[in-house]
Amino acid sequence: MLPVPSEDACPKGSAGTSGGVSTQRDEDAALALYEMLRTSGGVPEDGRYPDLDTGDPHGRGWRRLRELGLVQVRDGVAEAVDPDAALARAMDDYQANAAEQLRSGVRLQRVTEALLSVYRPSVQREISQVAVEFITDPRRKQRTRLDLSDAARESCSSMHPGPMPPIEVLEASLEHDRTIIARGVRSRAIYPMSCLHSPKYARYLHDLADAGVELRLVDHAPFDMLTFDENAAVLAAFPDRPSDAVIVIRGAALMLSFQAVYEDCWLRGLTLARASATSADDSEITAQERVIIRLMASGLSDDQIARKLGVHRRTVQRAISKLMERLNASSRFEAGLKLAGDAEFAKTFVVQ
């Protein structure tokens, strides 16, 4: 029995034969099978091949006939196909494939045009609305701040953790603050509570309030920041060295986060009047000392605390010494332990 081999079962060629010789043998085997099929009128798939040399590699011949479209199985019988009919079918298949490739090309062109002309520009517009700029030149930093404040139409908000700049710098900017407010722009500022313990800075805060700037005082702010409307923010590039460089951020997409940080600090702060009253009434421990104690408990060194509060290192050391004396502690560690164990005393460190 020599069943008609399937396409998958057909061998790819005999080992040890050259490509040309193997191809010719395939063609000869295919021609012999084709002539046999035309003579016999067809062969059942599970039947014998009459007058066929069983030693011939008929599997390769069947594969070749299938490739050329010269054989078809109809009702379980393998029949020969006329060469003209096979050629017509091959041309039809080619034209169908060519038409599908043309349709695929048209679809690809339409998709490409939509992606490049509609959707990519939309993404690029969204990205272009966000810009980050790093500035180190002092004159350019000042010019950028002034330009942004002059362009503001709704609000200018600032946050200053300290150390505070020279009082002369602050007083020189006061006139600019008045100009902004005169345009109808809401001006807000957050300063550290420690400013109240310096007569010159306390006087400056009252001058700001008299000019119409809304003020809040906090124990300490996270970083220097200026925001203008909902469009731009200026931040210190290095929080520990705010005078070195600034980062200018433009774009409403990023401004939401910075505004949320500012509003959180604003809500936690005290008005100038309340902060002044709290500082005057607190004879046991000042607001500044409360912050120093909290930062000390967080593991910060004297220098780090001084930088955060904008005060001299000796001020921090005096506050810690005063605390140790009050607690009758011989070391900072012992003061921390006593403070943690004295609930009544610890209540005085809670921010009002």
Side-chain angles (χ1 to χ4, degrees), residues 8 16 19 31 126 164 180 188 205 227 294 309 311 334 341:
D8 294 338
L31 179 60
E126 182 179 332
M164 298 294 292
I180 294 174
R188 295 189 296 173
L205 293 181
T227 65
R294 181 178 298 140
L309 297 182
V311 299
E334 183 181 358

Side-chain angles (χ1 to χ4, degrees), residues 117-134:
S117 63
V118 179
Y119 293 94
R120 177 189 279 179
S122 175
V123 173
Q124 289 177 337
R125 283 195 301 271
E126 182 179 332
I127 294 174
S128 66
Q129 293 174 356
V130 175
V132 179
E133 186 178 8
F134 186 86

Side-chain angles (χ1 to χ4, degrees), residues 268-288:
R268 290 189 292 106
L270 299 178
T271 63
L272 180 59
R274 185 178 176 187
S276 299
T278 301
S279 177
D281 294 340
D282 194 356
S283 58
E284 285 297 317
I285 186 169
T286 66
Q288 183 186 70

Side-chain angles (χ1 to χ4, degrees), residues 16-210:
T17 60
S18 65
V21 174
S22 176
T23 301
Q24 185 60 46
R25 287 180 179 178
D26 290 351
E27 206 71 71
D28 292 343
L31 179 60
L33 284 171
Y34 183 71
E35 292 176 344
M36 181 271 295
L37 289 174
R38 288 185 60 81
T39 301
S40 64
V43 175
E45 283 188 288
D46 57 351
R48 294 177 179 276
Y49 300 111
D51 303 323
L52 181 63
D53 181 5
T54 56
D56 184 81
H58 61 280
R60 296 196 298 274
W62 275 106
R63 184 182 69 223
R64 181 58 176 162
L65 292 181
R66 290 181 185 276
E67 291 174 353
L68 297 174
L70 290 173
V71 63
Q72 66 180 7
V73 178
R74 182 182 298 170
D75 298 329
V77 177
E79 300 175 341
V81 176
D82 186 81
D84 290 338
L87 179 60
R89 291 177 182 174
M91 293 298 296
D92 290 342
D93 290 342
Y94 171 79
Q95 291 177 354
N97 291 334
E100 178 58 31
Q101 289 179 355
L102 178 60
R103 287 192 291 271
S104 297
V106 172
R107 286 196 297 269
L108 177 61
Q109 180 182 3
R110 291 175 178 172
V111 169
T112 301
E113 289 176 352
L115 293 176
L116 294 181
S117 63
V118 179
Y119 293 94
R120 177 189 279 179
S122 175
V123 173
Q124 289 177 337
R125 283 195 301 271
E126 182 179 332
I127 294 174
S128 66
Q129 293 174 356
V130 175
V132 179
E133 186 178 8
F134 186 86
I135 303 177
T136 58
D137 179 67
R139 292 178 60 85
R140 190 178 170 200
K141 286 191 295 183
Q142 181 65 12
R143 185 70 260 166
T144 299
R145 294 190 189 100
L146 292 175
D147 289 344
L148 289 172
S149 63
D150 289 342
R153 290 296 175 264
E154 296 180 3
S155 65
C156 289
S157 302
S158 62
M159 181 162 61
H160 312 278
M164 298 294 292
I167 191 63
E168 295 79 11
V169 175
L170 295 176
E171 291 175 344
S173 68
L174 186 57
E175 189 59 35
H176 187 71
D177 294 324
R178 292 192 178 99
T179 302
I180 294 174
I181 295 171
R183 295 204 319 263
V185 177
R186 183 189 183 190
S187 181
R188 295 189 296 173
I190 298 176
Y191 282 94
M193 200 81 70
S194 58
C195 288
L196 293 177
H197 303 287
S198 169
K200 60 182 180 181
Y201 289 124
R203 184 179 65 255
Y204 167 73
L205 293 181
H206 283 88
D207 289 342
L208 270 183
D210 292 340

Side-chain angles (χ1 to χ4, degrees), residues 175-329:
E175 189 59 35
H176 187 71
D177 294 324
R178 292 192 178 99
T179 302
I180 294 174
I181 295 171
R183 295 204 319 263
V185 177
R186 183 189 183 190
S187 181
R188 295 189 296 173
I190 298 176
Y191 282 94
M193 200 81 70
S194 58
C195 288
L196 293 177
H197 303 287
S198 169
K200 60 182 180 181
Y201 289 124
R203 184 179 65 255
Y204 167 73
L205 293 181
H206 283 88
D207 289 342
L208 270 183
D210 292 340
V213 177
E214 301 176 39
L215 290 175
R216 291 291 173 90
L217 283 83
V218 296
D219 290 340
H220 62 91
F223 45 76
D224 275 286
M225 180 169 65
L226 302 172
T227 65
F228 304 91
D229 293 339
E230 296 180 356
N231 304 319
V234 179
L235 299 88
F238 309 105
D240 291 339
R241 306 189 307 276
S243 61
D244 285 5
V246 298
I247 297 175
V248 181
I249 298 173
R250 295 178 175 87
L254 289 178
M255 283 298 296
L256 293 176
S257 297
F258 295 116
Q259 287 175 321
V261 172
Y262 189 90
E263 293 302 329
D264 178 69
C265 293
W266 181 263
L267 293 174
R268 290 189 292 106
L270 299 178
T271 63
L272 180 59
R274 185 178 176 187
S276 299
T278 301
S279 177
D281 294 340
D282 194 356
S283 58
E284 285 297 317
I285 186 169
T286 66
Q288 183 186 70
E289 289 171 334
R290 283 199 301 270
V291 179
I292 291 175
I293 293 166
R294 181 178 298 140
L295 296 177
M296 181 186 71
S298 300
L300 272 64
S301 67
D302 293 351
D303 288 334
Q304 290 172 321
I305 295 173
R307 283 197 298 269
K308 277 188 170 294
L309 297 182
V311 299
H312 198 277
R313 183 171 182 266
R314 288 194 299 271
T315 303
V316 176
Q317 292 174 332
R318 282 196 300 268
I320 295 175
S321 298
K322 182 179 179 181
L323 171 67
M324 291 172 57
E325 180 180 353
R326 189 176 302 164
L327 293 174
N328 194 24

